[in-house]
Amino acid sequence: MNEDDLENIKVLKERYPKLKVVHADAMELPFENESFDGCLLIEIIEHVNDVPKFLKEISRILKPNGRYIITTPNRAVTEIFVKLGVLKPKICSHHFKEYTVKELKDIFLENGLKIVNISGITQIRYSISKWFIFRNKFASGLLLNIGRFLPLLASNIILICEKQTSEK
């Protein structure tokens, strides 16, 4: 745990005193089996070095048919924007791996999870240029919402998966 983690936990406890804050190793969560209906993983999976083990642990704490909602940067779109010169190559030292839609889908299927929905969202920082966004409402709306219909073109992937029920 680093200083930023400690500060974030302190702020959470101050702002939301009724919130139970748990800081734990994602590979060994301190919860009983089948404790949760769902799990929200916002920009997490790219920070995990052993994704199959991580997914197994999350599945352990989910109830049957429990759902994961995952968001992560779309490596394919980031690479396109870098090649176009819109984004500078950014080396994110704390990302083990960024994924394409296909890679993410394959990982979840290989780990026995049912994919319920794949969509995406494009953030303004990934747009072609700020002046274009503000001057052309149709284009900006299209750019920001295209991921809902064509996740391959979104800057961030949104994946909804479901834990399969145990066979008896």
Side-chain angles (χ1 to χ4, degrees):
M1 185 175 336
N2 63 36
E3 288 182 32
D4 288 340
D5 292 336
L6 293 172
E7 183 61 27
N8 289 336
I9 290 170
K10 179 182 171 189
V11 169
L12 277 171
K13 287 181 176 182
E14 289 170 358
R15 287 188 185 166
Y16 307 100
K18 293 183 181 180
L19 181 68
K20 182 178 178 181
V21 179
V22 177
H23 186 274
D25 181 343
M27 302 299 186
E28 295 179 25
L29 295 168
F31 305 111
E32 292 183 26
N33 294 350
E34 300 183 352
S35 317
F36 296 93
D37 295 314
C39 183
L40 185 59
L41 303 166
I42 301 174
E43 310 293 313
I44 300 292
I45 200 162
E46 64 273 14
H47 299 272
V48 176
N49 64 348
D50 187 347
V51 172
K53 183 177 178 181
F54 173 68
L55 294 177
K56 185 176 181 180
E57 182 63 3
I58 298 297
S59 290
R60 180 189 68 77
I61 65 168
L62 282 178
K63 294 177 182 175
N65 300 322
R67 290 201 172 177
Y68 298 69
I69 301 175
I70 297 97
T71 68
T72 190
N74 184 350
R75 190 185 79 235
V77 171
T78 302
E79 288 174 353
I80 290 168
F81 283 137
V82 168
K83 286 178 184 175
L84 291 173
V86 175
L87 287 176
K88 293 179 181 176
K90 178 182 156 192
I91 298 171
C92 194
S93 62
H94 53 278
H95 284 189
F96 285 100
K97 179 176 169 119
E98 291 185 359
Y99 299 90
T100 64
V101 172
K102 181 183 180 339
E103 290 169 336
L104 198 63
K105 183 179 175 183
D106 289 348
I107 287 168
F108 280 80
L109 291 174
E110 287 166 8
N111 285 279
L113 298 162
K114 176 183 171 187
I115 295 175
V116 176
N117 189 3
I118 302 173
S119 65
I121 187 167
T122 297
Q123 300 175 10
I124 293 216
R125 65 187 166 136
Y126 290 120
S127 64
I128 294 173
S129 66
K130 287 185 181 179
W131 68 266
F132 180 75
I133 287 294
F134 293 115
R135 292 186 183 176
N136 189 322
K137 288 184 180 180
F138 172 76
S140 65
L142 180 64
L143 182 63
L144 293 173
N145 290 294
I146 200 162
R148 291 174 52 203
F149 310 104
L150 296 168
L152 295 172
L153 300 177
S155 67
N156 290 71
I157 304 164
I158 302 169
L159 185 67
I160 301 174
C161 296
E162 189 173 274
K163 176 182 175 179
Q164 299 297 290
T165 54
S166 304
E167 291 188 37
K168 295 182 180 182

